[in-house]
Amino acid sequence: MDQALTISFIYFPTTAFCFFTGLLVLGNDHRSRLLQIFFISCLSLALWSFTMGLSIAAPDLSTCLFWRRLGAFGWGPYFALILHLFILMTNNGHWLKRKFSLLLLYLPAIYSVLVYGVLTDLAESTFDLVQTPMGWINIAGSTFWDYLYTAYYLSYSLLAIVIVYRWGRQAVRQEDRKSAQILIPAFVGVLLLGSLTEIVLNNLLEVKVLQLAPILMTIPIGLSFYCLKRYGFMKPIQNEGLSDAQGNISVATRMRLYQYLALGFFFSGFVSFVMTYFTGRKSLEEIFVFGGFLFLCGVLLLSFQYLKLTSNVRDWLSGGVMGSAILVTNLSYSTADPLTGWMLPVALILITVLFGQKRLLASVGVATLISLVVVAVRATTVVVNFNWVDHLIRLIVLAVVLFFAFYINRTFNRVIQENQEKTGQQKLLSEINALFLKVSEQNVEKKMETMLGLCGDQFAAQHVLLLIVHEDGPHEGYQWFLEPQREALLKPRVYRYFELMPVSELFALMPEQFRVIKNLPSSESAGTAALPTQWGITAQMIQPLGDAQEGFRGFLWFARFDREAVWKNDYQEFMTILHHSIIEIDRKLMVEKAITYQANYDGITGLMNRAYFTDRLNQAVSANLDIAVIFIDVDGFKTINDTFGHDVGDRILMVIGQRITNVLDKADFSARFGGDEFAVMVHQRRGLTSTIDKIQQEFLEPIRLNSRKLFLTLSIGIALAPEDGERAEELMKHADLAMYHAKENGKNKAVFCSSELKAAQNREMALSNDLYQAIEQGQLSLHYQPQVDGRTGEIVGLEALARWYHPQLGMVSPGIFIPIAEKNGLINELGDWVLREACRQNKAWEMMGLGPMRISVNFSMVQFMAAGIVPRIAAVIQEFDLKPKTLVVEITESINVYDFTHIDQTVQDLKQLGVAISIDDFGTEYSSLDRLKNLPVDEIKIDKRFIDGLPKDVSSIGIIRAIIALAVIFDLELVAEGVETGEQLEFLLAAGCRVIQGYYFYPPLSAEAVGDLLRTIHEQRRV
């Protein structure tokens, strides 16, 4: 073997390294533009190195020139590709978005290929080839085109170095700065050495130097590969973990096996080409055909894996390729080295066994049989001469077969391990699903920790953390530790680290998908750690939680604190399934929380509702805690709703609830019972007075409603345990009782429940029960107080007054049983009875020739606002055949706080019926001149409280004169109630009030007494 041939072999490992490195990188993500350019750069350098090796050992000048021209297709575009690669790597791809920019970038590469490779005359004139003992060498730099090419590769190389340098200086990521620090010195060194060997030394020295540029260029290519893989530019190969439905191995293992087969064909084609070329046994055309065929087989096998084909079609096509390769190889080697040729079928048969597919085994077997038959038919005797090349080929082929044998062994072991892992993972998923069949807020923490423990055992983790994030914080965190000592040390620290971290910061820490990160303490990987490395974490697996619709929801994190982590990135599918299971569990919990919230909390204020408050109160009472219950009612809140609307009212309720909660201790809690009622449970009675003062102080400040200020007051009732009750219902009832007492006695005050209040409530309850029976048993009666013309003494009307004679208690005041009837809902039934009884009695007097009389009947606002009140009055009048004008409907001034539209319509309907309308107790409640002007009333009654001050009280005198003046202005009748003295009568007559009602003339009389009185008056008139 001569010196040139020996030297030429140096370039072939470089060729193989570049070619297979490019394939390895492209196999990670064939859609990535960055990796595509890297692959083409590797192909370019491989072609450069391959042709350089062949040209050095060429037998003559024409052959050397052929390989040099072919090499121009490699070294011509190489530096443009390297610049393109670095532009993409440094995130400057936007420079090349326009096609013109891309054309400009590759313009020097195009001219280099044309001048040195395509155009024959130019190529022959530009190459200055000299044969030396070390082979053919080109003396570059002697032509214009050489100068142009030198300017091209130097300028592009320097520009690439500047781009990487600026990128390293401006980079935020430590990985990017590290990449720049690695690439720049290597590229500068290679550029200097390459220029020295290619141009400088061969032009200055008589002894020509071997051209080492393609070999040197493998250094930046290798370091670029290192940076791409080490610092995250290459996406890791993800094991889909799915078992092929028709095979024994996973999809990822199947693809990897096909990739190795393709690489085997590429390698075989390369070795066959080199060895056959240098032995000279075949023509160049035959060498190209056979080597090209093997390369084509490799390309087809790779292509089939990336095309969208079914598994059956892919296997049939791949089987066809392998069968064709066996046929062609066996037939080619049948006259040269049958033993070497038969190694390919043996290797492929072993590999097809691994696939577990009959169609593949059949393809290989049929191709082998056909080749056997053909060789047997030919039956030629061949004498084969073996030399060192044949032995080398055998050794290489044997090495390839051994490689696949070891790979098959490792793959089978991996398949067994993967199946065991899948079984364990499926069992884990089943246990998790069974664990969370029944989950609630009460047991979720225990179940989550159990789940994390199962996951930790499955993946040999020492710490597992599940974090569910919330935008409004704090986040939900669940942890499991293998070692109790480490749990005691790290568990609170980990939770504090994440508890209130903004979601955006957490999201920034997370990888885009499942990822394994190892060797965390090293400076290169510390920046990729999701958790602080000072906790002693050396390896971690991270699975982000969430999807495109819901966004980032949290993460599942596994950690180890030693160097024994054997985690792989091919857990992706299982982690995805586990991720979906966790998300579903979280959704289930969220739904349950929402249902629980709706069941236990008020939708407007966010406070507890009555049911949940009662439950919590019962727990506190059962624990014999020193507690108090506060009932709060907002005074006059109905006016706010009527004035501003319910939406504004709800907003104000939210503010009220917040103000109440703000003053409570952590152990205390509050609730909204509905409407404008709130409740509070205070744990420490010693601070009860202070808490009540704070609540009242909170409402000294107005609530701001846009530009308005609303001042609110509270009526507060307090009940203490156990004095006021040993059950929640009793405490709430007595606090409510105290609150109503505060409301009835001036509002805006706090009242403690007392024995007197409870006794009064009991009496009221007894009366309420008895009142139901009073109507049925005829215990009620009507008395009538005459209304008299003060000037003549003539009776002009009567007011019907309800009376209740209790069998045990005697006469019960209307001031007691009328409010009871309003509270317990009997007021409508009681009012209907009073109306019917008054009308019936009036008709009876008419039948006796004593009437009909003008009778006033009081209507409570509850009764007056009830639906159908006008038809019921009309029906009673019609039933007793009375003239409507004989009935006067008395209502109080409190109508002004009710819906005016409804009140006005009811009054209008009564007026059309012919009934008179009187306003009782005028001037004592909600007087409104506007309402008085617009309502068609007939009469107003001066309340007894103003009459009592006559004739000496100046205020009473002024008020009465004002009321009389209003009556004159609005043309209304006047009735003065509660007149008891002659002085009062004299003043009223002088002031212009003619109709008098009171004890001065008559007290309330029974129906019989009124009948006797009317009869006597009639008899006196006859006389």
Side-chain angles (χ1 to χ4, degrees):
M1 185 185 300
D2 60 19
Q3 186 178 359
L5 184 60
T6 304
I7 292 174
S8 68
F9 273 94
I10 300 174
Y11 292 88
F12 299 135
T14 301
T15 303
F17 171 78
C18 295
F19 181 75
F20 292 117
T21 299
L23 283 178
L24 178 63
V25 170
L26 188 65
N28 280 267
D29 185 3
H30 63 281
R31 294 179 296 270
S32 169
R33 178 58 60 87
L34 173 65
L35 302 189
Q36 289 171 356
I37 297 300
F38 182 83
F39 172 68
I40 298 173
S41 301
C42 290
L43 285 184
S44 174
L45 184 55
L47 180 60
W48 182 3
S49 180
F50 179 69
T51 56
M52 179 66 76
L54 293 174
S55 68
I56 286 175
D60 51 51
L61 179 62
S62 61
T63 305
C64 177
L65 184 60
F66 169 78
W67 290 119
R68 287 282 182 167
R69 290 177 62 187
L70 184 61
F73 289 88
W75 51 262
Y78 176 74
F79 294 97
L81 288 166
I82 286 293
L83 179 58
H84 193 173
L85 176 68
F86 285 170
I87 288 173
L88 294 178
M89 187 182 290
T90 56
N91 302 318
N92 292 308
H94 57 279
W95 294 352
L96 304 176
K97 281 188 176 180
R98 294 184 178 180
K99 293 182 179 179
F100 176 76
S101 302
L102 206 58
L103 177 63
L104 193 63
L105 174 67
Y106 283 98
L107 188 59
I110 295 172
Y111 102 78
S112 298
V113 171
L114 288 174
V115 170
Y116 292 96
V118 177
L119 303 176
T120 305
D121 293 338
L122 274 176
E124 291 178 353
S125 64
T126 51
F127 284 109
D128 185 9
L129 296 170
V130 177
Q131 189 172 25
T132 70
M134 292 185 294
W136 290 94
I137 294 174
N138 179 54
I139 309 301
S142 59
T143 68
F144 167 77
W145 300 110
D146 288 340
Y147 293 138
L148 204 59
Y149 178 76
T150 302
Y152 153 53
Y153 91 77
L154 285 175
S155 61
Y156 272 44
S157 299
L158 291 173
L159 185 57
I161 292 170
V162 170
I163 290 173
V164 174
Y165 175 76
R166 289 186 59 193
W167 173 57
R169 288 288 301 274
Q170 299 173 0
V172 177
R173 293 198 323 155
Q174 184 180 357
E175 295 88 341
D176 296 342
R177 294 195 297 271
K178 194 73 174 179
S179 297
Q181 292 169 5
I182 292 172
L183 292 173
I184 291 174
F187 206 87
V188 171
V190 168
L191 182 62
L192 293 175
L193 287 175
S195 300
L196 188 66
T197 60
E198 288 284 333
I199 300 173
V200 178
L201 295 179
N202 284 331
N203 280 287
L204 295 179
L205 301 177
E206 291 185 6
V207 179
K208 304 306 176 186
V209 179
L210 190 66
Q211 294 169 309
L212 300 175
I215 297 174
L216 294 174
M217 283 299 169
T218 58
I219 297 174
I221 284 290
L223 293 176
S224 298
F225 168 73
Y226 172 80
C227 293
L228 287 172
K229 187 170 181 63
R230 178 70 174 177
Y231 299 122
F233 295 98
M234 286 170 54
K235 295 181 179 179
I237 299 174
Q238 298 295 330
N239 185 355
E240 300 169 10
L242 295 172
S243 178
D244 195 320
Q246 299 178 352
N248 299 323
I249 57 177
S250 67
V251 173
T253 302
R254 175 182 293 270
M255 178 171 284
R256 192 180 299 115
L257 187 55
Y258 274 124
Q259 289 173 346
Y260 284 143
L261 274 174
L263 291 176
F265 278 111
F266 291 143
F267 183 74
S268 300
F270 174 73
V271 171
S272 172
F273 183 93
V274 172
M275 296 302 181
T276 310
Y277 175 79
F278 284 113
T279 57
R281 290 177 177 176
K282 294 184 179 181
S283 66
L284 186 61
E285 182 180 351
E286 290 177 320
I287 295 171
F288 266 118
V289 170
F290 185 70
F293 172 75
L294 293 180
F295 261 82
L296 178 62
C297 290
V299 170
L300 290 175
L301 283 178
L302 272 183
S303 301
F304 295 157
Q305 311 316 309
Y306 295 107
L307 294 176
K308 293 183 178 179
L309 303 172
T310 63
S311 178
N312 287 336
V313 172
R314 186 181 292 114
D315 286 343
W316 276 117
L317 292 175
S318 300
V321 170
M322 288 188 284
S324 301
I326 290 174
L327 283 171
V328 173
T329 303
N330 280 347
L331 292 176
S332 298
Y333 276 90
S334 63
T335 59
D337 181 11
L339 183 59
T340 303
W342 276 98
M343 287 187 180
L344 178 64
V346 172
L348 291 180
I349 287 172
L350 290 174
I351 293 171
T352 52
V353 169
L354 182 62
F355 278 106
Q357 293 293 318
K358 293 181 179 179
R359 67 178 70 90
L360 289 176
L361 188 59
S363 301
V364 174
V366 169
T368 304
L369 288 173
I370 291 174
S371 62
L372 262 177
V373 171
V374 172
V375 171
V377 169
R378 292 169 64 177
T380 58
T381 302
V382 179
V383 177
V384 179
N385 294 319
F386 264 62
N387 58 23
W388 68 270
V389 175
D390 296 295
H391 288 290
L392 182 60
I393 292 175
R394 279 191 173 187
L395 290 174
I396 292 173
V397 173
L398 180 62
V400 172
V401 172
L402 286 175
F403 167 78
F404 278 104
F406 280 110
Y407 178 75
I408 290 169
N409 177 265
R410 191 181 69 172
T411 302
F412 264 118
N413 290 333
R414 187 191 305 120
V415 168
I416 294 172
Q417 183 181 358
E418 286 177 354
N419 288 335
Q420 290 175 344
E421 288 179 354
K422 288 177 187 176
T423 302
Q425 292 168 4
Q426 291 171 356
K427 181 180 178 182
L428 174 60
L429 290 174
S430 299
E431 290 178 348
I432 291 174
N433 290 331
L435 181 66
F436 286 95
L437 282 176
K438 293 183 179 180
V439 62
S440 63
E441 284 189 88
Q442 289 70 34
N443 62 16
V444 63
E445 183 171 358
K446 183 177 179 181
K447 287 181 178 287
M448 283 291 190
E449 290 180 358
T450 303
M451 179 195 74
L452 297 183
L454 293 173
C455 293
D457 292 339
Q458 174 67 30
F459 294 104
Q462 293 172 302
H463 178 206
V464 186
L465 167 67
L466 171 63
L467 192 78
I468 308 295
V469 302
H470 298 287
E471 288 288 350
D472 50 356
H475 311 309
E476 293 179 52
Y478 306 97
Q479 299 186 69
W480 171 85
F481 285 85
L482 178 64
E483 303 164 352
Q485 299 87 347
R486 205 180 297 273
E487 179 177 6
L489 176 65
L490 287 183
K491 189 171 185 178
R493 294 171 62 189
V494 172
Y495 184 71
R496 283 197 302 270
Y497 180 78
F498 287 117
E499 182 179 14
L500 297 177
M501 183 180 289
V503 175
S504 58
E505 291 186 22
L506 277 171
F507 180 72
L509 289 174
M510 292 298 107
E512 294 182 2
Q513 58 184 0
F514 171 74
R515 187 176 177 191
V516 175
I517 306 172
K518 298 180 181 179
N519 304 322
L520 289 181
S522 67
S523 60
E524 296 175 357
S525 60
T528 62
L531 295 179
T533 56
Q534 63 266 27
W535 292 348
I537 299 164
T538 58
Q540 57 181 301
M541 290 194 301
I542 307 169
Q543 173 62 54
L545 304 180
D547 52 36
Q549 293 181 343
E550 297 184 352
F552 179 61
R553 295 285 304 280
F555 62 86
L556 179 64
W557 178 82
F558 299 79
R560 286 196 69 88
F561 303 92
D562 53 33
R563 298 289 179 178
E564 299 177 7
V566 291
W567 297 328
K568 299 174 290 186
N569 277 306
D570 56 2
Y571 295 145
Q572 175 67 60
E573 191 211 357
F574 172 77
M575 286 298 176
T576 301
I577 297 173
L578 183 59
H579 153 240
H580 289 310
S581 297
I582 292 172
I583 291 296
E584 286 302 316
I585 291 167
D586 185 53
R587 285 175 181 160
K588 182 178 179 181
L589 286 171
M590 288 176 67
V591 170
E592 182 172 327
K593 286 180 181 178
I595 295 172
T596 303
Y597 184 86
Q598 292 175 359
N600 294 332
Y601 291 89
D602 176 55
I604 295 175
T605 62
L607 303 179
M608 297 180 186
N609 60 18
R610 185 185 190 102
Y612 191 34
F613 180 87
T614 304
D615 181 60
R616 292 284 301 274
L617 183 57
N618 269 323
Q619 294 176 23
V621 172
S622 300
N624 296 319
L625 298 178
D626 186 23
I627 62 171
V629 177
I630 303 173
F631 254 47
I632 301 170
D633 184 88
V634 184
D635 298 328
F637 190 78
K638 185 179 184 305
T639 306
I640 294 175
N641 274 337
D642 292 343
T643 305
F644 300 104
H646 286 278
D647 288 342
V648 174
D650 290 347
R651 285 161 51 195
I652 293 173
L653 287 173
M654 290 174 62
V655 175
I656 293 170
Q658 187 174 6
R659 287 191 177 186
I660 293 172
T661 305
N662 286 344
V663 303
L664 302 181
D665 293 336
K666 290 185 178 180
D668 304 336
F669 50 85
S670 56
R672 175 175 174 249
F673 274 25
D676 58 352
E677 290 186 344
F678 295 82
V680 174
M681 195 198 82
V682 178
H683 274 78
Q684 296 295 330
R685 283 168 50 176
R686 288 174 298 178
L688 177 59
T689 304
S690 173
T691 300
I692 295 170
D693 290 341
K694 288 177 183 177
I695 292 174
Q696 291 176 320
Q697 289 290 329
E698 279 286 316
F699 289 89
L700 294 178
E701 284 290 322
I703 294 176
R704 297 186 180 275
L705 183 64
N706 297 328
S707 59
R708 302 188 180 204
K709 296 180 180 180
L710 297 179
F711 289 89
L712 299 178
T713 59
L714 308 177
S715 296
I716 300 174
I718 306 101
L720 306 176
E723 298 94 318
D724 297 320
E726 296 181 353
R727 292 184 299 109
E729 291 77 8
E730 290 179 332
L731 287 170
M732 292 190 297
K733 178 184 72 174
H734 290 140
D736 188 44
L737 172 65
M739 182 269 291
Y740 271 106
H741 186 75
K743 211 166 187 65
E744 291 169 355
N745 288 271
K747 304 178 181 178
N748 191 25
K749 61 177 64 176
V751 174
F752 281 83
C753 186
S754 63
S755 57
E756 292 80 7
L757 286 178
K758 287 183 276 189
Q761 184 189 41
N762 292 334
R763 289 195 299 270
E764 183 178 309
M765 182 64 70
L767 286 174
S768 177
N769 293 333
D770 292 344
L771 187 57
Y772 280 97
Q773 302 176 14
I775 298 174
E776 299 173 357
Q777 296 178 2
Q779 296 175 9
L780 297 176
S781 62
L782 287 183
H783 282 207
Y784 303 89
Q785 188 170 29
Q787 297 172 342
V788 180
D789 186 331
R791 293 174 299 180
T792 63
E794 180 184 0
I795 297 177
V796 296
L798 301 168
E799 180 179 4
L801 302 171
R803 295 292 184 265
W804 178 20
Y805 186 82
H806 192 280
Q808 286 81 35
L809 302 177
M811 190 64 69
V812 180
S813 168
I816 295 176
F817 72 80
I818 294 297
I820 292 175
E822 289 180 337
K823 286 182 182 180
N824 62 16
L826 274 175
I827 190 64
N828 287 321
E829 185 178 352
L830 177 60
D832 289 346
W833 179 85
V834 170
L835 175 63
R836 287 182 52 80
E837 180 61 21
C839 291
R840 184 199 64 78
Q841 185 61 58
N842 201 6
K843 184 64 178 179
W845 285 329
E846 181 182 352
M847 296 296 293
M848 290 186 296
L850 304 176
M853 299 297 296
R854 189 171 183 268
I855 296 182
S856 298
V857 177
N858 289 284
F859 283 76
S860 75
M861 288 315 300
V862 175
Q863 184 183 3
F864 193 75
M865 294 293 293
I869 183 65
V870 175
R872 290 208 302 274
I873 293 174
V876 173
I877 292 174
Q878 184 178 4
E879 178 185 353
F880 293 105
D881 192 23
L882 291 172
K883 294 179 180 179
K885 65 179 182 180
T886 61
L887 178 64
V888 179
V889 174
E890 283 195 13
I891 54 179
T892 64
E893 276 187 319
S894 60
I895 59 168
N896 286 318
V897 300
Y898 292 88
D899 181 12
F900 178 74
T901 303
H902 179 76
I903 295 292
D904 180 61
Q905 186 61 50
T906 302
V907 172
Q908 294 286 357
D909 292 344
L910 289 174
K911 289 295 293 181
Q912 289 181 5
L913 183 62
V915 173
I917 307 295
S918 176
I919 297 180
D920 197 11
D921 304 329
F922 186 79
T924 61
E925 292 191 30
Y926 303 94
S927 300
S928 171
L929 298 182
D930 180 63
R931 296 285 177 94
L932 188 64
K933 177 176 73 72
N934 292 316
L935 281 176
V937 299
D938 301 281
E939 175 185 277
I940 57 177
K941 299 181 75 173
I942 304 173
D943 189 76
K944 184 179 184 299
R945 282 172 282 187
F946 302 131
I947 302 298
D948 289 341
L950 295 178
K952 298 179 181 180
D953 185 66
V954 177
S955 298
S956 297
I957 292 172
I959 292 171
I960 289 174
R961 284 178 174 168
I963 293 173
I964 293 173
L966 286 173
V968 173
I969 292 171
F970 292 114
D971 192 23
L972 302 174
E973 294 291 333
L974 267 175
V975 177
E977 292 184 298
V979 178
E980 296 179 353
T981 66
E983 293 176 338
Q984 293 171 345
L985 174 62
E986 183 178 348
F987 175 85
L988 290 169
L989 292 176
C993 180
R994 181 172 60 87
V995 180
I996 307 298
Q997 179 180 338
Y999 277 79
Y1000 180 79
F1001 285 105
Y1002 301 102
L1005 303 173
S1006 64
E1008 293 79 5
V1010 171
D1012 293 339
L1013 176 61
L1014 293 177
R1015 193 176 294 106
T1016 301
I1017 292 173
H1018 274 275
E1019 290 176 355
Q1020 289 176 352
R1021 287 177 180 173
R1022 289 178 188 161
V1023 175

